[in-house]
Amino acid sequence: MASSGELKKSITWLQGTAMTIGAVIGAGILVLPAIAAEIAGPASLASWLLMGLISLPMLAAIAQMSSRYPNSGGIAAYAQQAFGPGMGRLAGFLIFSAMPIGLPPTALIGANYLCSLFGWGTGAAHIAAGALILTAVALNLRGIELSGKSQLFIVSVILLILIFVVLSSLAEIRPANFTPFLPHGLGAVGHTMSLLFFAFLGWEMIGHLAEEFKDPRRDIPLSLGAAYVIVNIVYLAIALVVVGSGVYKSGNPNIAMVSLIKLRWGEPAAVLVGLLGFVVCYCPVHTYIAGFSRLFYAQAREGYFPKCFGELHPLYGTPFRALQLFVPLNLSLLFLSWALSWDLKPLLGIPSATFLLVYTIGMFSAAKVLSVKSGRLCGLLSGTLSLAVFAFSGWYMLFPLAVALYFVVRYKKEFF
């Protein structure tokens, strides 16, 4: 029989750091440096740096909100606390609409790396992506303590391999590849920033896991701070060697990392990076599934979904019904992606734009709720910056705006 008790408090700051890094650093590091360089040229390095700076006040606001008000609802809970149930429900609804779109391409990017090693086709890549998602669901079902320990090990291995890739590629950097620095103008830098936001998604996932930290007041800021430093160093280092080597100018950007390591070490080392590509995409899939299920669980507790989704597994203490819902949802998206041959760029751009709007809501919520002046300033600044980057999202912004418009009209009594 299912339980309606509390989530277990078992996450340490080290596990929280690993899960945060795993949520943020996944698929983005494999494809976005090359895609960003294609769009903005060498100036894409400025886009990475600026996005890192923009995410800092956002990170500070999330750390303060999550540690002071630990709630599995995350940003949706903060929005409700600040602006009432309508805005809280809207934030949750936006996240629910974005996650099923963002996770399949994340899994597919990893699957494409794996299939490139063995010459497998598109169908096999979609099957491998489905297997990756099912594995993440199964481990999440067993409990956050097991998944936190496995994430710590996987992330450590990933970081060691990424350091190896960077150090091995330094000899391939050529000064000529940095000129002209702005081949497509400043507008391309702004557009690239909106796309790179996908690479900086994941900080908010710690909010959905906040109830499960042993000491949230201490461990959440430590986890976020350590993850921020590591993630930004790795991103800038990878972007530097991708641009400096010129590897983005030829070949498929989806497997740019394989091409990069081939320049120095040949096919054997490329096999290692190809396997890394598959494994590294598991981390964000795992953490996002954990966060999604906790958000669904929290929203069910608030009465926004059927009460059965607010029940916990009697043995593992996990929101198992929300996890079960994830399986048909994502496998259906994967099937449609295969049947309709969807391009990955829109599937990355749409959730990026949607989460920009979610972050905007969440950060303005933090600015209203937090009692500490520095927290309010961080929330106000990051909310304004998120809204500004959202303006560069192009047609991708139409999706979250349409979702928000429908929701406000549908539940207008909760807003007015």
Side-chain angles (χ1 to χ4, degrees):
M1 184 175 178
S3 168
S4 57
E6 295 183 354
L7 294 163
K8 295 179 181 178
K9 298 183 182 297
S10 59
I11 303 177
T12 66
W13 78 268
L14 274 175
Q15 293 170 355
T17 300
M19 296 191 77
T20 304
I21 293 172
V24 176
I25 210 171
I29 198 63
L30 299 174
V31 297
L32 286 177
I35 293 176
E38 284 184 336
I39 296 172
S44 62
L45 293 172
S47 299
W48 284 103
L49 181 61
L50 289 171
M51 280 306 306
L53 293 175
I54 286 174
S55 67
L56 183 56
M58 184 184 303
L59 200 77
I62 290 172
Q64 292 192 45
M65 288 294 290
S66 299
S67 59
R68 285 170 171 76
Y69 310 104
N71 188 300
S72 296
I75 286 179
Y78 311 149
Q80 178 174 338
Q81 190 174 355
F83 300 111
M87 193 61 74
R89 192 197 288 246
L90 171 60
F93 197 76
L94 284 167
I95 295 172
F96 293 140
S97 70
M99 279 192 177
I101 298 174
L103 270 177
T106 301
L108 273 172
I109 291 169
N112 282 332
Y113 267 74
L114 183 68
C115 292
S116 69
L117 297 177
F118 303 106
W120 295 345
T122 304
H126 282 77
I127 292 173
L132 189 149
I133 289 173
L134 290 174
T135 301
V137 170
L139 281 177
N140 270 292
L141 181 62
R142 291 296 302 271
I144 202 69
E145 186 173 5
L146 172 63
S147 59
K149 290 178 180 178
S150 64
Q151 193 90 323
L152 181 59
F153 171 75
I154 293 171
V155 166
S156 299
V157 173
I158 288 169
L159 290 177
L160 287 174
I161 296 176
L162 288 175
I163 291 170
F164 166 74
V165 171
V166 171
L167 294 178
S168 299
S169 305
L170 290 176
E172 305 300 327
I173 294 177
R174 302 289 183 269
N177 288 324
F178 293 96
T179 56
F181 189 74
L182 271 170
H184 307 298
L186 288 174
V189 174
H191 178 64
T192 302
M193 287 175 64
S194 69
L195 184 62
L196 291 186
F197 196 82
F198 186 86
F200 289 87
L201 294 177
W203 310 114
E204 81 290 347
M205 282 298 105
I206 205 166
H208 299 301
L209 304 176
E211 287 186 40
E212 296 166 87
F213 273 81
K214 290 182 177 180
D215 186 356
R217 294 280 294 210
R218 184 199 67 177
D219 292 344
I220 289 178
L222 278 174
S223 297
L224 284 171
Y228 174 83
V229 172
I230 294 170
V231 164
N232 278 277
I233 289 174
V234 170
Y235 275 173
L236 285 172
I238 293 292
L240 177 67
V241 295
V242 166
V243 171
S245 66
V247 71
Y248 69 94
K249 297 178 182 178
S250 59
N252 183 356
N254 290 340
I255 55 171
M257 293 283 283
V258 173
S259 302
L260 185 62
I261 203 66
K262 277 183 179 180
L263 292 175
R264 178 72 174 172
W265 298 102
E267 194 67 37
V271 171
L272 176 64
V273 177
L275 291 172
L276 166 68
F278 183 69
V279 175
V280 76
C281 287
Y282 171 79
C283 291
V285 169
H286 180 100
T287 306
Y288 268 88
I289 287 176
F292 178 92
S293 62
R294 270 70 179 175
L295 173 59
F296 211 96
Y297 160 79
Q299 296 267 289
R301 287 190 311 190
E302 296 293 330
Y304 298 150
F305 294 107
K307 290 184 178 180
C308 64
F309 289 106
E311 298 174 348
L312 300 177
H313 194 280
L315 180 59
Y316 304 123
T318 53
F320 68 106
R321 296 195 190 278
L323 289 168
Q324 290 170 346
L325 178 66
F326 222 97
V327 174
L329 202 60
N330 279 266
L331 293 186
S332 297
L333 262 293
L334 280 174
F335 174 77
L336 290 174
S337 172
W338 168 75
L340 302 177
S341 300
W342 283 344
D343 183 11
L344 282 182
K345 287 184 181 180
L347 294 179
L348 296 177
I350 289 173
S352 292
T354 304
F355 270 95
L356 274 166
L357 186 56
V358 170
Y359 272 119
T360 301
I361 295 171
M363 294 304 99
F364 284 134
S365 299
K368 184 175 181 181
V369 169
L370 288 172
S371 57
V372 181
K373 184 177 181 180
S374 61
R376 294 198 301 271
L377 288 174
C378 285
L380 186 61
L381 176 60
S382 56
T384 303
L385 291 172
S386 296
L387 188 60
V389 178
F390 178 73
F392 283 94
S393 299
W395 70 268
Y396 297 134
M397 73 170 64
L398 297 179
F399 178 83
L401 290 177
V403 170
L405 179 62
Y406 164 79
F407 191 87
V408 172
V409 172
R410 175 67 175 80
Y411 299 100
K412 58 184 176 181
K413 291 184 180 179
E414 297 186 12
F415 291 89
F416 307 107

